[in-house]
Amino acid sequence: MQRLYDFIRRHPTGVDTFWAVVLLGLSGVSIVGAPVGSGRERVTAVPLAVALCVVVALRRRAPEKMLLLAIGTGLAQLLLGVRPDVADFALLVITYTVASVGERWASRLALACCLGAAALSRLRWPQETDMDSWPQTVFVVVVLTVPFVLAWVLGDSLRTRRAYFSQLEERAARLEREREAQSKVAVAAERARIARELHDVVAHNVSVMVVQADGAAYVMDASPDQARQALETISGTGRQALAEMRRLLGVLRTGDAPESGEYVPQPDVEQIEELVGKVRETGLAVDFRIEGTPRPLPSGVELTAYRIVQEALTNTRKHGGPDAGASVRLVYFDDGLGLLVEDDGRGASHELYEDGGADGAGHGMIGMRERVGMVGGTLDAGPRPGGGFRISALLPLKPANQ
């Protein structure tokens, strides 16, 4: 049964031609067996019946042209006095077809012809009915018009339903394209975040390793124990840097789990004190204070605060000079977190921080401003009066647009 259905769908014109041949046979039987009508009328009825059967055969291939052929055939019947027979069933068929798949003008023309065909038929052959009163005549006209109107309504409903499903398919395709575009934007944003994370990790840890390596080389002969301690610090810092880089690069692998089996947690505010302790081990004096009552903060705010302190201390260590000192202050407000990082270095300048950054590539301050902007905060950075550099940030608990 399914094969028959598929064949019918693949060969619509062939199926229509089959029914046209059946209609032509029935029409021939009707013409030959008609009890009334002259021989001339019967001869004239044959080509008209053939024309209507052609309408059925080609209705889906050229619906508008077949409608015009059907109208012309119907007018010829009226002018030549050929009474309606079985072949006129083609008028119902073409009405349904143009209403469902034809152009709009053809559909309206078919509806207009449907409403007037029965009335014209009663006027042309009034002797076909025994009804004398006009209400009875009107009733007959209405009854004959109803099938044509129903055929048109059915075809127009099918057109509307087909258009509705087409809109649904188009909308689904559009939503799929939008989802793909949003996925690409999300991937790009994630890669940008990873790039910032990698910059912070490499800039901070490599800077610590360079400082410790220089110190170890300087005291290698005079103080082997101190040199050994510096090398241990280099080793530990390197391992930490590798662990963080594995965590960040692991999200770029498709279908591959990180080597450690799970990701390292993101740094938070509580780890700032540990960060300051490691910086002190490199020889930079850092004063760390917390004001207000510590409390849980959004993960984005905590990560931003940690990275700002990390970047600021790295810049101080690289550009502040040999005798520089720094201070870090965290202030808990009711609606956010305040952050102030200052140093008294003599070698720092606003242009050096802004243009060079921690790695000399111009990403230090840019990365800070991007991070602060992502959480809806504000950042103020610049030279201090009398020397040194100051970074002040205010990170709200919620972005300003919420």
Side-chain angles (χ1 to χ4, degrees), residues 323-342:
D323 299 325
S327 65
V328 178
R329 185 171 63 174
L330 298 180
V331 182
Y332 285 88
F333 298 105
D334 293 337
D335 57 352
L337 177 68
L339 186 64
L340 179 64
V341 183
E342 296 179 306

Side-chain angles (χ1 to χ4, degrees), residues 279 284-288 312-313 316 324-328 341-344:
V279 173
L284 178 65
V286 183
D287 178 35
F288 178 63
L313 294 180
T316 299
S327 65
V328 178
V341 183
E342 296 179 306
D343 67 63
D344 56 4

